């Protein structure tokens, strides 16, 4: 299956509604193992290449802290976004729950009608972050924000990533 067919970037027939795709990137130290961070960056670049130019994209990255790499930006600015993503480095900590809470708060403050979150991670949150991650995804699902996941090279994190996608009424993929 090609990446463009599996990506959640088409939103039905109503092209008038503003769309926001939010990419939530795990840049923790565990992502440095087995080239997971490199793979994640390649995935993000492929996603950006496959989005329609008028789709708005927000990129959030997390490790022990959470930050916005790009506020909502048209996908037509993909080259600038790809350059910034390719410059991301890994740091200590994997605060997945905090990242998804931050994402929920940010998205719900924006005026977009159609929202989709794509979490890209090895599914290995720090400490007790799995429960807050699940609660944040429940909050998003209740707000009609679809959450899908892409698991990067990790058998250990597969159960959590699949569960988050199920809770988020999205899809779970393994790269």
């Amino acid at each position: 299956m090609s990446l463009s067919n599996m990506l959640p970037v088409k939103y039905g027939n109503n092209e008038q509604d503003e769309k926001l795709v939010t990419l939530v990137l795990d840049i923790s130290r565990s992502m440095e193992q087995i080239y997971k961070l490199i793979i994640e960056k390649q995935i993000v670049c492929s996603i950006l290449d496959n989005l329609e130019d008028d789709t708005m994209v927000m990129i959030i990255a997390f490790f022990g802290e959470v930050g916005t790499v790009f506020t909502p930006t048209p996908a037509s600015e993909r080259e600038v976004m790809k350059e910034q993503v390719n410059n991301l480095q890994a740091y200590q900590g994997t605060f997945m729950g905090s990242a998804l809470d931050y994402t929920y708060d940010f998205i719900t403050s924006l005026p977009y009608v159609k929202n989709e979150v794509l979490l890209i991670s090895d599914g290995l949150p720090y400490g007790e972050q799995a429960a807050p991650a699940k609660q944040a995804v429940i909050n998003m699902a209740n707000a009609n924000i679809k959450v899908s996941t892409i698991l990067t090279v990790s058998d250990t994190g597969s159960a959590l990533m699949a569960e988050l996608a199920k809770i988020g009424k999205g899809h779970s993929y393994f790269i």
Side-chain angles (χ1 to χ4, degrees):
M1 176 180 289
S2 77
L3 185 60
S4 61
N5 289 334
M6 81 175 198
L7 290 176
V9 297
K10 303 290 182 196
Y11 292 99
N13 297 325
N14 190 348
E15 293 303 317
Q16 304 296 68
D17 292 340
E18 293 223 26
K19 303 172 270 293
L20 176 66
V21 174
T22 303
L23 306 174
V24 181
L25 313 179
D26 180 348
I27 58 168
S28 64
R29 289 271 183 229
S30 66
M31 292 294 287
E32 287 184 313
Q33 301 168 1
I34 321 171
Y35 305 105
K36 290 184 254 184
L37 187 58
I38 292 168
I39 292 166
E40 178 180 51
K41 291 175 181 182
Q42 291 171 343
I43 291 167
V44 171
C45 290
S46 293
I47 290 168
L48 292 171
D49 285 339
N50 282 283
L51 289 170
E52 297 169 0
D53 285 350
D54 63 343
T55 299
M56 299 301 285
V57 180
M58 182 164 60
I59 301 175
I60 294 171
F62 69 96
F63 55 100
E65 297 177 17
V66 182
T68 304
V69 179
F70 273 94
T71 57
T73 304
S76 61
E77 298 292 322
R78 62 184 48 83
E79 295 307 318
V80 174
M81 288 187 272
K82 289 183 337 187
E83 182 178 338
Q84 186 71 24
V85 166
N86 282 320
N87 288 329
L88 291 174
Q89 296 179 13
Y91 299 97
Q92 192 63 37
T94 312
F95 284 36
M96 185 183 290
S98 299
L100 291 169
D101 274 335
Y102 177 93
T103 301
Y104 170 73
D105 290 342
F106 204 139
I107 290 173
T108 55
S109 73
L110 299 171
Y112 298 98
V113 175
K114 302 208 179 231
N115 294 288
E116 186 146 352
V117 171
L118 187 57
L119 170 65
I120 306 172
S121 175
D122 59 6
L124 303 173
Y126 181 78
E128 301 296 319
Q129 285 285 302
K134 291 176 192 176
Q135 185 57 56
V137 172
I138 289 168
N139 293 342
M140 284 190 245
N142 290 338
N144 205 25
I145 301 168
K146 184 176 177 182
V147 179
S148 293
T149 61
I150 296 179
L151 177 68
T152 56
V153 195
S154 173
D155 290 335
T156 310
S158 62
L160 176 60
M161 294 293 277
E163 184 177 1
L164 292 175
K166 183 177 180 181
I167 293 168
K169 301 175 184 169
H171 303 282
S172 180
Y173 305 102
F174 176 82
I175 304 290

